[in-house]
Amino acid sequence: MRIFYSIIGFLIFLLTACRKEDQAPVIPPETDEYVLRVPAGFPMPDIPADNTLTKSRIALGKRLFYDPALSADSTRSCGSCHAPHLAFSDSTAVSLGIEHRLGTRNAPSLANVAYQNKLLREGGVPTLEMQILVPIQEHNEFDFNILLVAERLQKMPKYVEMAEKAYERVPDAFVITRSIAAFERTLLSGDAPYDQYAFQGKSNALSASEKRGLELFQSERLNCSKCHEGFLFTNQGFTNNGLSEVYPDSGRIRLTGLESDRAVFKVPSLRNIALTAPYMHDGSLPTIEAVIVHYQTGGKPHPNKSPLLKPFNLTVQERKDLLAFLHSLTDQKFITNPEFRN
Ligand code: HEC
Ligand code: HEC
C-alpha cells in the first residue's frame, strides 16, 4: 500500500511538473550562435576555424563596416564605397577616398564575397581578414593604420564592450579584421529571379525573353558562361577580356611578374550586375549595353586576350533578351535586407 501511494505520489509529481512547464515554458538563454542561411543551389562557404560566425561578431563587424572612425579623418567608411543599395559597390568609375582622393580601380560588389578564393582585381590577397588592412592603409582610401584605428576604438566604451563579448579581447587589430570579415561572410545573395528559376523550381520566375537570354549567355556563340560560370557567375579565373590595347593598370603582372599576366584581371561575378555600373576594373564602360557592344566586337587586340573572345552578331531581339537575362540577376531581397544595412 505504501508503495502504491508512493507510485501515485510520483505520478502526481510528474504530472504537476509537466503542467508547470506548460504554464511557464522555460525559455532557453539567448545563444550567440549564428546560422548562415545559405541560398538554394549554393555550397556552404569556408569559414576559418579561428573566426566562426556568431551574432556578436557579426554585429561588431557590421558596426565597424559602417563606421567612418576607420578612416584617418573620420569621413569615409567601408560602406561609402560598398553601399548596400548598389549590392555593396559604388556608382563611380573609380572610388573616392578621404579628402576626395580618387582611387584607380572600380569598387567590386561584395555580394557572395565569402566564396571568392582570391581577393582584389589581380587576386593578390587570400583572405577577407587580410583584405581589411588594404583600404585602411591605402592613401586613396582611409590613409590610416590599423594600430591607430585600434587605439581610437579602445577609447569608445561601446566597442570595448562589443569586442569583449565577441572575442574576449579589446578592439585590437585581431578583432577589427576578424569581425568585419565575419560580417562580410553573411552577405549572401541568391534569391534573384534567376535563382528562383534555376534553384527553387519556379519555372515561371523568368520571362520568355529572360530564358532566351540565358540560353544565349550559355551558348558557344557568345561563350559568356565559359568565364562567368556556375552559381557565382565567375570561374574565379584571371584573364584579359580585350578591354583595351594599352592598360595603365598592369593587372596581375603586379603580383606574379609574368608577362602573360599583364593586363590580366579577375573574372568578376555578374550577380546584381544591373546595380553595379560602371563596369570593368577601371569603370570605363558606363552601361551593360556598352559591355555587350564591347563583347560583340570580340574585344581590342592584346597579346594576352583570351581566345574565348570572338566577334558575334546579335539581332535587336537577341540583344534585348541578353540584357533582360542580365537584369534577372538582381536580388531585391539582398539589397533591402535590414540585417545587412546600417
Ligand atoms: C575608397 C573606396 C573604398 C573603401 C573606403 C573600401 N573599399 Fe573595398 N574596394 C574598393 C576598390 C576600388 C576595390 C578593388 C581594389 C583592387 O582590386 O585593387 C575594393 C575591393 C574590396 C574587396 C575585394 C573584393 C573582391 O571580390 O576581390 C573587399 C572584400 C573589400 N573591398 C572590402 C572592404 C572593406 C571591408 C572596407 C572597409 C574596411 C573597404 N572595402 C573599404 C573600394 C573601397
Ligand atoms: C575569357 C573570359 C570571359 C568571357 C568569355 C566573357 N567575360 Fe565578361 N569579363 C571577363 C573579365 C576578365 C572581366 C573583368 C575585366 C576587367 O576588370 O577589366 C569581365 C567583365 C564583365 C562584366 C563587367 C563586370 C563588372 O562588375 O565590372 C560584364 C557585365 C561581363 N563581363 C559580361 C560578359 C558577357 C555578357 C559575356 C558574353 C558575351 C562575357 N562577359 C564573356 C571575362 C570574360
Side-chain angles (χ1 to χ4, degrees):
M1 204 54 170
R2 212 184 280 161
I3 288 175
F4 175 70
Y5 276 122
S6 47
I7 290 173
I8 293 283
F10 183 62
L11 283 175
I12 288 171
F13 165 72
L14 273 186
L15 283 173
T16 51
C18 286
R19 213 175 292 140
K20 245 186 208 159
E21 244 173 80
D22 286 351
Q23 283 165 352
V26 179
I27 300 161
E30 173 78 27
T31 71
D32 202 22
E33 192 191 342
Y34 180 86
V35 182
L36 192 63
R37 283 185 300 280
V38 179
F42 284 35
M44 185 74 188
D46 288 338
I47 310 283
D50 74 345
N51 196 20
T52 51
L53 297 180
T54 66
K55 286 179 195 153
S56 53
R57 291 172 177 184
I58 294 161
L60 173 57
K62 174 175 164 177
R63 196 186 172 97
L64 288 169
F65 187 90
Y66 291 110
D67 195 339
L70 269 62
S71 63
D73 63 358
S74 297
T75 57
R76 305 287 284 166
S77 73
C78 309
S80 309
C81 299
H82 300 284
H85 69 288
L86 301 173
F88 293 87
S89 72
D90 65 11
S91 56
T92 50
V94 291
S95 299
L96 213 59
I98 66 161
E99 294 175 349
H100 303 284
R101 293 179 201 163
L102 276 184
T104 54
R105 285 181 175 172
N106 182 254
S109 161
L110 301 185
N112 304 317
V113 75
Y115 297 97
Q116 292 282 346
N117 299 330
K118 305 241 172 73
L119 300 164
L120 302 188
R121 302 234 177 227
E122 71 271 290
V125 177
T127 68
L128 285 171
E129 281 79 0
M130 283 170 74
Q131 192 282 328
I132 285 143
L133 300 171
V134 179
I136 290 179
Q137 300 202 153
E138 197 71 33
H139 175 74
N140 296 325
E141 297 189 5
F142 292 163
D143 196 14
F144 212 24
N145 173 315
I146 187 117
L147 299 176
L148 296 175
V149 176
E151 210 173 88
R152 195 179 267 180
L153 300 181
Q154 284 166 22
K155 295 193 191 112
M156 301 163 113
K158 185 74 188 165
Y159 277 122
V160 174
E161 180 199 318
M162 290 179 88
E164 174 59 30
K165 192 167 172 221
Y167 293 96
E168 298 177 333
R169 297 167 74 111
V170 294
D172 56 9
F174 180 97
V175 168
I176 296 163
T177 54
R178 296 303 185 292
S179 61
I180 297 178
F183 170 63
E184 290 178 290
R185 290 194 177 96
T186 68
L187 302 176
L188 303 187
S189 170
D191 199 13
Y194 166 79
D195 296 292
Q196 294 164 11
Y197 170 80
F199 302 124
Q200 300 173 26
K202 296 179 188 155
S203 58
N204 53 6
L206 291 188
S207 67
S209 168
E210 288 162 346
K211 283 178 194 166
R212 288 193 301 267
L214 169 61
E215 254 174 60
L216 276 169
F217 186 83
Q218 295 172 329
S219 68
E220 298 265 313
R221 176 152 65 103
L222 271 62
N223 266 345
C224 311
S225 65
K226 290 262 163 61
C227 296
H228 300 284
E229 84 174 10
F231 73 102
L232 282 182
F233 290 87
T234 167
N235 57 8
Q236 303 216 36
F238 296 86
T239 189
N240 176 282
N241 73 342
L243 187 61
S244 49
E245 283 177 62
V246 186
Y247 286 74
D249 185 333
S250 55
R252 196 164 157 79
I253 191 175
R254 297 209 312 210
L255 180 70
T256 64
L258 296 172
E259 203 45 52
S260 56
D261 278 333
R262 182 176 298 283
V264 158
F265 295 93
K266 183 159 81 169
V267 177
S269 168
L270 300 187
R271 286 191 164 273
N272 301 295
I273 194 69
L275 303 171
T276 64
Y279 301 105
M280 307 300 168
H281 70 280
D282 55 358
S284 59
L285 296 184
T287 59
I288 306 186
E289 286 86 341
V291 172
I292 295 178
V293 169
H294 157 72
Y295 281 113
Q296 272 191 275
T297 65
K300 309 242 167 50
H302 190 280
N304 291 332
K305 191 175 83 170
S306 164
L308 289 168
L309 297 160
K310 28 180 205 188
F312 56 85
N313 288 318
L314 291 177
T315 65
V316 173
Q317 186 59 48
E318 283 176 331
R319 187 182 302 202
K320 272 192 199 154
D321 294 344
L322 183 59
L323 259 176
F325 163 67
L326 291 168
H327 278 264
S328 82
L329 299 174
T330 303
D331 179 352
Q332 288 296 336
K333 275 198 202 141
F334 174 67
I335 60 167
T336 54
N337 190 339
E339 260 190 55
F340 303 151
R341 293 178 148 243
N342 197 359

